[in-house]
Amino acid sequence: MARPKEFDVEAAVEAAVEIFREHGFEGASAQMLVDAMKIGRQSLYDTFGDKWGIYCTAVKHYSQDEVRAHTEILDRSGRAIEGIRAMLERVVAEADRPCLGVGSIAEFGCARPELVKIRQASSDVLSRALAKALGAAREQGDVAEDLDIDHLVTFLIATISAMRLAARGGAGRDHVSGLAELAMPSLR
């Protein structure tokens, strides 16, 4: 009979997310992970298989949390365009913290199919939410009729990534905020 886990898996994964956000996969050592996760090395391997297993679990957890936060903001506003603006403002407010999603793309691109699958699942959910918000904003007169919604979704996701990369590269809050402000008139 297997022994029950003696640690909070959710808390351990959240700790791993923070290590990978800051150091990436290659820069994070097993010792950094077990120290942050407050688990033994054997528990890490028994639960997640290996460092790659915890990395994929962390990316999935992080991506789902980020998408959930974005979609909640998009759904909260009375006018769809204000939800889009609020979503970009959230990115500005948190841009000083490294993004594990963007980091995983920078580190691995499309070289690891299991990672691509994890990211794609979250991207699909966010893309649908953005398409819905942009469609509503168009109906409310806030998005130009001649702009392709799919292209706008791609543009907004790329803008979010650019904002996070700029911040990671040292851009100040004013510059990151400026990127969000430049994006809004592009929707008209």
Side-chain angles (χ1 to χ4, degrees):
M1 185 160 139
R3 270 183 28 194
K5 301 274 183 253
E6 295 179 10
F7 63 94
D8 181 342
V9 174
E10 179 83 9
V13 170
E14 288 175 6
V17 164
E18 294 307 314
I19 293 298
F20 289 128
R21 282 177 85 161
E22 187 60 39
H23 302 283
F25 178 78
E26 289 298 328
S29 69
Q31 192 60 52
M32 291 167 119
L33 289 165
V34 297
D35 289 348
M37 296 167 74
K38 297 180 176 35
I39 63 175
R41 195 176 292 259
Q42 192 59 48
S43 292
L44 180 129
Y45 295 123
D46 289 347
T47 305
F48 303 104
D50 57 11
K51 182 177 156 185
W52 183 251
I54 185 59
Y55 183 74
C56 287
T57 301
V59 171
K60 182 176 182 179
H61 178 84
Y62 175 82
S63 298
Q64 289 173 340
D65 280 355
E66 280 296 297
V67 168
R68 186 177 311 109
H70 287 319
T71 56
E72 286 174 1
I73 288 171
L74 288 170
D75 290 342
R76 210 178 318 165
S77 298
R79 288 193 72 80
I81 198 73
E82 292 309 317
I84 294 166
R85 180 183 304 282
M87 181 190 68
L88 293 174
E89 288 171 354
R90 175 187 176 270
V91 174
V92 170
E94 296 185 6
D96 60 329
R97 298 185 67 215
C99 175
L100 183 54
V102 171
S104 73
I105 293 167
E107 196 165 2
F108 293 101
C110 293
R112 301 295 294 262
E114 62 272 38
L115 190 56
V116 171
K117 185 177 175 183
I118 291 166
R119 290 191 313 242
Q120 191 61 51
S122 292
S123 179
D124 289 348
V125 173
L126 181 57
S127 293
R128 284 191 301 273
L130 280 170
K132 179 182 170 189
L134 287 161
R138 174 175 283 162
E139 288 175 10
Q140 295 166 348
D142 294 321
V143 169
E145 289 288 333
D146 63 333
L147 296 176
D148 183 276
I149 295 291
D150 289 337
H151 293 164
L152 291 176
V153 167
T154 301
F155 169 74
L156 286 172
I157 290 173
T159 299
I160 290 168
S161 296
M163 291 163 64
R164 290 181 166 164
L165 280 171
R168 184 71 169 160
R173 187 180 183 106
D174 287 346
H175 288 105
V176 176
S177 180
L179 292 171
E181 288 303 314
L182 287 169
M184 293 307 295
S186 300
L187 305 178
R188 295 197 172 264

